[in-house]
Amino acid sequence: MKRVATIWCEGCSGCHMSMLDMDERLVDLIQKGLVFDASPFTDLKTPSEQVDIGIIEGSVATDTQEKEVKMMRERCKVIVAIGDCAVFGGVPTMRNKYSTEEVLKRAYSDAETNYNKNIPSSEDISKLLEKVKPVDEVVKVDYYIPGCPPSADAIYEVLSKLLEDKQPELKGKLLSYE
Ligand code: SF4
C-alpha cells in the first residue's frame, strides 16, 4: 500500500482534473496499492504523518501555501510537482512584476465592481508573498510532470512507476511543455 496526498496551491485545479482524467486507470492504480490520503478528492485537509507520495499542483503565492508545501515535504517521502505552475511558476507569476500593494489595489480598491473600495484584511486571510514561486524554490522536489495541464497518460506513467518503486521517466509525447 502507498499513501498519496495531493494539494492544490496557486493553480486552477486543471491538474487535479487531469488526474481524474485517468478514468478507469485510477482503479488500476488503487489495485496496485494507491490509497488517497489528504486531497481535494477526499476532502481531508491535513496529510498523515507518513505519506509515500505527495503531489503538489500550483505555484506558491501565499504564506498559507508556503506552510502547506513545507508540511507536505516533511510528511511525504517523495514530492511530485505537477503542472507548469508547480514546475515553473506558470500563469500566477504574471503578477511578479508588480508589488503586492499594487496587485491588491488593482484587485480591490480600483476594481470597478468593488463599491466600498476596501482591501479585505483579517488574520484569517492568507498574506500574499512578495513573489509567486515554483515549488522547488520552497522545498526539494523529486519528480516533475510539466504541462498545462499534464496529460492523464503522463500522470499515470509517473504514479504507476512510483507505486512499483521504479524510476519514472517521461519522454516523447508524455513530456509536454506548454
Ligand atoms: S499548470 Fe495549467 S492546468 Fe495546472 S494549475 Fe497551472 S494553469 Fe491550471
Side-chain angles (χ1 to χ4, degrees):
M1 180 186 89
K2 289 208 190 297
R3 301 194 75 81
V4 176
T6 81
I7 62 168
W8 162 15
C9 293
E10 200 76 359
C12 71
S13 90
C15 293
H16 272 81
M17 293 296 137
S18 224
M19 281 189 246
L20 292 179
D21 277 345
M22 287 190 285
D23 296 326
E24 68 275 8
R25 285 178 295 178
L26 273 168
V27 176
D28 176 50
L29 293 177
I30 287 165
Q31 287 171 342
K32 283 181 175 169
L34 182 153
V35 173
F36 277 112
D37 194 89
S39 167
F41 302 142
T42 57
D43 206 22
L44 299 172
K45 309 295 184 197
T46 309
S48 304
E49 295 285 339
Q50 295 201 321
V51 174
D52 296 289
I53 302 166
I55 299 177
I56 300 178
E57 169 190 323
S59 41
V60 185
T62 70
D63 58 349
T64 305
Q65 291 167 353
E66 198 166 50
K67 280 184 202 145
E68 287 173 346
V69 163
K70 285 179 179 172
M71 181 185 284
M72 285 284 277
R73 181 68 272 181
E74 282 164 16
R75 297 187 174 196
C76 303
K77 289 181 196 153
V78 163
I79 289 288
V80 181
I82 180 173
D84 286 352
C85 295
V87 173
F88 306 114
V91 173
T93 59
M94 288 173 70
R95 82 152 162 92
N96 282 354
K97 63 180 185 171
Y98 303 102
S99 69
T100 54
E101 291 75 22
E102 287 173 309
V103 169
L104 290 169
K105 183 170 177 294
R106 180 65 190 94
Y108 293 101
S109 313
D110 296 347
E112 292 74 7
T113 52
N114 183 11
Y115 299 114
N116 64 22
K117 304 297 178 194
N118 288 343
I119 296 175
S121 173
S122 159
E123 63 185 26
D124 296 328
I125 299 177
S126 301
K127 303 273 180 302
L128 294 183
L129 301 177
E130 276 303 317
K131 298 290 176 201
V132 180
K133 299 179 268 194
V135 174
D136 67 3
E137 285 190 21
V138 180
V139 296
K140 177 176 175 286
V141 169
D142 301 290
Y143 298 101
Y144 298 86
I145 314 179
C148 182
S151 68
D153 292 345
I155 299 167
Y156 178 78
E157 169 67 18
V158 170
L159 278 179
S160 57
K161 287 287 182 344
L162 289 176
L163 288 174
E164 294 168 359
D165 291 320
K166 292 181 180 160
Q167 194 75 9
E169 189 184 358
L170 293 180
K171 52 188 174 186
K173 64 183 168 77
L174 294 182
L175 190 58
S176 160
Y177 295 92
E178 295 172 55

